Amino acid sequence: MTTLTIEQMLHIDRENIWHPYSSLPAAYPAYPVAAAKGVRLTLADGRELIDGMSSWWCALHGYNHPRLNAAIESQLKKMSHVMFGGLTHEPAVKLTKLLIDITPDNITKVFFADSGSVAIEVAIKMALQYWYCSKNKQKTRLLTVRSGYHGDTLAAMSVCDPVTGMHHLFSGVTPEQFFAEAPACRFADTWNESYITDFKSLVEKHHKQIAAVILEPIVQGAGGMRFYSPDYLRRVRQLCDQYDILLILDEIATGFGRTGKLLGCYHAGIRPDIMCLGKSLTGGYMTLAATLCSEKISSRISKGEAGVFMHGPTFMANPLACAVSIASIELLLSSCWQSRVASIESQLAEELSPCKLMEHVEDVRALGAIGVVELKQGVDMATIQPKFVSRGVWVRPFGKLIYLMPPFIIEPNDLRKLTAAVVDIAGEL
Ligand SMILES: *Cc1c(COP(=O)(O)O)cnc(C)c1O
């Protein structure tokens, strides 16, 4: 194929390619990226942008990392892929061992999925198959909280926030689930039993139908960037135990240190029955996710009518993805990520705080390597996006939220450029 000019590329991109949550032809052009290294994206026209997004929570170690490149190159020379039916390989086995080591001690079984949404589908199917195999035909529904986000496939979508997820567009097709109010307690609030009232009453009323509760622990990500108290999670675990309901934790965004702990559930010291990992699992290199579960779940399913768990993707446990994932996790664990994330948190909290004085700002918050400026009204993407790019930073707001989620390797000077751009641009709105 001949090389394309930037204009030709932009034309095809705008006319023919769907981007996430986009229309066609696109309402505004995307920015062509030619390369990325460390915390910098280089655009096709040569401009450099400091990355404040980690490519949606994924690129923990920045881009083009020599150790991650080496892991993938060395695996590539052996094999890029083989089917996982009837075959296995060292990258999958080593990664499994690592994941079992870093997750709560009841979690011992791993299912590799190709994306976060698929990992959620798998988790939901595991919960449903568990109850079916327990000869309980009533437990077929899920309970979650509002403002959540769990992915875009149909079952995953059914547990996303019903309003922002526009459930009405798909009514009759997506399964109907139970929704409690979003946790009202902030991360550091002292516990008050009233915070769980709505959730508890749904459990009391419908527990015979509820197969599982599904939650993003501590941080609700794409559904609103909300941080809530670990006590809420502890109470959810107790209620699930009391009413015989499984607990699925969606750690796809919170996993691998983003909230200041290796996993979100470690803030609360609780153990889920089923857990999903994704996003930063490969350090942002390739798509890979995992659904992990306890022996209790796997043995019940395996002794049931089908005798097997009913799922098996073509690219399951892709060796390239597993190899880079092992390298990314080892790199993370051997780094001083806790102190890096802690200093990112305090810098975000301090440098974003001027936004608190702005009349059109609802709230400013920081937890781990996540900083959020919540506005009272939604932003206009067509005008705000070019402002960030002209400041030399890559920040992509959504709805009422301008947020930063930089790679953990970011230096204070670069982070300061990100926060300064957010404060200035928020101030101009
Ligand atoms: C991104 C995300 C998903 C979906 O993952 P995809 O890889 O985009 O399918 C699910 N749950 C949470 C919490 C996420 O942040």
Side-chain angles (χ1 to χ4, degrees):
M1 227 178 164
T2 52
T3 41
L4 298 170
T5 64
I6 293 182
E7 289 66 37
Q8 287 170 324
M9 194 163 117
L10 283 177
H11 180 76
I12 295 171
D13 186 84
R14 199 168 175 166
E15 292 292 324
N16 305 103
I17 313 180
W18 295 108
H19 281 259
Y21 290 91
S22 73
S23 52
L24 277 179
Y28 22 83
Y31 295 88
V33 187
K37 191 166 176 58
V39 299
R40 284 181 165 69
L41 309 177
T42 307
L43 298 184
D45 61 12
R47 282 182 292 174
E48 273 196 350
L49 305 180
I50 299 171
D51 175 35
M53 307 307 300
S54 300
S55 286
W56 281 339
W57 320 71
C58 299
L60 300 180
H61 315 290
Y63 302 89
N64 220 333
H65 194 286
R67 283 208 17 211
L68 304 191
N69 289 3
I72 217 163
E73 281 163 8
S74 124
Q75 182 56 43
L76 182 61
K77 287 181 189 131
K78 295 174 202 154
M79 60 187 174
S80 56
H81 185 66
V82 288
M83 63 188 278
F84 211 52
L87 297 174
T88 192
H89 46 78
E90 192 174 71
V93 176
K94 275 194 172 166
L95 178 57
T96 298
K97 215 167 152 286
L98 252 179
L99 294 180
I100 293 172
D101 281 350
I102 64 171
T103 48
D105 55 13
N106 64 320
I107 297 294
T108 54
K109 315 292 173 186
V110 180
F111 185 104
F112 288 110
D114 2 32
S115 71
S117 301
V118 173
I120 297 292
E121 298 287 324
V122 166
I124 292 173
K125 283 172 71 176
M126 273 182 187
L128 297 179
Q129 235 188 295
Y130 173 88
W131 289 115
Y132 187 87
C133 297
S134 308
K135 308 265 180 291
N136 184 326
K137 304 269 164 74
Q138 276 180 296
K139 282 183 174 282
T140 56
R141 294 177 70 186
L142 292 150
L143 167 62
T144 186
V145 292
R146 288 178 187 271
S147 296
Y149 178 77
H150 298 282
D152 292 340
T153 50
L154 285 171
M157 217 175 70
S158 76
V159 284
C160 292
D161 185 84
V163 180
T164 56
M166 295 211 176
H167 279 192
H168 64 275
L169 293 179
F170 302 93
S171 63
V173 182
T174 49
E176 269 196 45
Q177 316 291 14
F178 298 111
F179 288 89
E181 291 308 319
C185 43
R186 295 169 66 105
F187 179 73
D189 280 353
T190 11
W191 183 249
N192 180 323
E193 191 62 14
S194 68
Y195 290 137
I196 198 90
T197 310
D198 189 47
F199 183 93
K200 192 176 164 191
S201 67
L202 284 169
V203 167
E204 286 166 349
K205 203 160 156 206
H206 301 292
H207 63 93
K208 291 208 171 90
Q209 289 168 269
I210 300 174
V213 163
I214 181 166
L215 290 179
E216 296 158 276
I218 304 299
V219 174
Q220 293 188 286
M225 306 295 287
R226 303 171 83 258
F227 311 151
Y228 65 90
S229 164
D231 287 316
Y232 189 93
L233 276 183
R234 285 186 206 111
R235 286 295 285 124
V236 166
R237 178 71 269 184
Q238 287 164 358
L239 288 166
C240 286
D241 288 341
Q242 190 182 341
Y243 287 94
D244 209 11
I245 295 170
L246 301 176
L247 177 60
I248 303 171
L249 288 185
D250 176 353
E251 296 262 12
I252 291 169
T254 48
F256 303 103
R258 183 58 63 178
T259 68
K261 301 270 187 198
L262 195 60
L263 298 172
C265 66
Y266 290 147
H267 285 280
I270 58 154
R271 308 190 311 180
D273 300 289
I274 301 173
M275 170 184 283
C276 298
L277 295 171
K279 287 203 158 94
S280 56
L281 177 58
T282 63
Y285 266 59
M286 294 186 71
T287 177
L288 180 70
T291 306
L292 299 92
C293 71
S294 64
E295 167 87 30
K296 163 178 150 175
I297 307 294
S298 65
S299 66
R300 181 71 54 88
I301 290 173
S302 307
K303 285 173 196 149
E305 180 193 313
V308 295
F309 176 57
M310 294 298 288
H311 209 98
T314 306
F315 283 95
M316 193 170 188
N318 173 259
L320 291 173
C322 290
V324 73
S325 175
I326 295 164
S328 173
I329 297 169
E330 285 178 343
L331 189 60
L332 182 71
L333 298 179
S334 67
S335 72
C336 50
W337 65 269
Q338 289 98 332
S339 60
R340 277 191 172 273
V341 170
S343 57
I344 293 172
E345 174 177 324
S346 45
Q347 196 180 340
L348 286 169
E350 188 187 320
E351 292 177 2
L352 293 177
S353 68
C355 294
K356 286 183 186 161
L357 303 173
M358 298 172 187
E359 225 167 78
H360 57 287
V361 169
E362 178 70 36
D363 187 41
V364 179
R365 50 189 179 265
L367 180 70
I370 314 167
V372 183
V373 176
E374 182 174 337
L375 306 165
K376 289 182 177 150
Q377 281 182 356
V379 296
D380 173 32
M381 283 295 274
T383 56
I384 203 168
Q385 189 73 86
K387 288 188 185 174
F388 281 110
V389 171
S390 68
R391 288 281 301 239
V393 298
W394 181 243
V395 177
R396 187 156 173 86
F398 71 89
K400 297 175 183 171
L401 302 165
I402 304 179
Y403 67 100
L404 295 173
M405 216 158 28
F408 296 172
I409 58 155
I410 195 162
E411 295 293 340
N413 274 341
D414 284 337
L415 186 53
R416 197 161 304 120
K417 287 179 195 147
L418 287 169
T419 55
V422 169
V423 173
D424 291 349
I425 291 168
E428 288 165 18
L429 292 175

